[in-house]
């Protein structure tokens, strides 16, 4: 069965956007929607993102590292515990990430549409 296909029907992946800069969040949401993803959020804070993760089924997430002075690491930890893949979208370099997250996918801002789509495809490659 092809990636994203279940019972012969194409399955739409749902992606949570966690980004505190509204224009960046809307650009990401527009790009995801154009690529056929369903968007949850954007969550502008750690608390809102954690609430959305508990209330909504998501297949993956895009996390800005710095959210108005707090980090998205608690969100990443929650996603890891639930087995939900995620990628960081940040101006940070991989070397600036917390040590236990340095090997996770990092998309550098500003993210080009092709890089965003290919990053999402890599992130979501798993059995559905």
């Amino acid at each position: 069965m092809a990636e994203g296909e279940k019972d012969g029907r194409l399955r739409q992946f749902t992606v949570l956007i966690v980004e505190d800069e509204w224009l960046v969040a809307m650009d990401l949401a527009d790009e995801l929607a154009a690529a056929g993803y369903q968007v949850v959020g954007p969550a502008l804070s750690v608390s809102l993102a954690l609430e959305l993760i508990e209330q909504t089924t998501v297949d993956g997430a895009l996390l800005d590292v710095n959210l108005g002075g707090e980090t998205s690491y608690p969100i990443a930890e929650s996603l890891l515990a639930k087995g939900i893949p995620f990628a960081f979208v940040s101006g940070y370099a991989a070397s600036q990430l917390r040590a236990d997250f340095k090997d996770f996918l990092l998309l550098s801002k500003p993210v080009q549409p092709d890089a965003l789509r290919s990053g999402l495809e890599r992130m979501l490659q798993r059995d559905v």
Side-chain angles (χ1 to χ4, degrees):
M1 200 173 290
E3 177 67 26
E5 201 175 306
K6 192 171 194 169
D7 299 328
R9 296 184 313 265
L10 194 60
R11 183 178 164 304
Q12 188 178 41
F13 287 105
T14 302
V15 178
L16 170 65
I17 296 175
V18 181
E19 170 62 64
D20 64 336
E21 293 182 43
W22 187 252
L23 289 177
V24 173
M26 296 293 50
D27 283 345
L28 287 171
D30 288 346
E31 286 297 330
L32 293 182
Y37 294 94
Q38 183 175 352
V39 175
V40 174
L44 306 175
S45 67
V46 170
S47 60
L48 180 55
L50 292 173
E51 188 177 311
L52 286 172
I53 291 167
E54 290 303 317
Q55 297 176 353
T56 311
T57 301
V58 296
D59 299 300
L62 296 174
L63 311 177
D64 184 9
V65 175
N66 185 350
L67 299 169
E70 56 183 345
T71 68
S72 62
Y73 297 135
I75 304 163
E77 291 166 351
S78 176
L79 293 166
L80 269 176
K82 295 177 178 296
I84 300 170
F86 61 90
F88 292 106
V89 179
S90 180
Y92 287 19
S95 62
Q96 294 175 288
L97 295 178
R98 198 171 82 184
D100 52 336
F101 291 116
K102 286 186 181 191
D103 292 331
F104 282 79
L105 179 61
L106 173 64
L107 301 172
S108 296
K109 286 183 183 178
V111 182
Q112 298 302 311
D114 289 343
L116 179 62
R117 287 186 185 116
S118 66
L120 281 166
E121 288 171 10
R122 282 185 289 158
M123 181 182 79
L124 293 170
Q125 280 184 344
R126 59 192 172 112
D127 293 332
V128 290

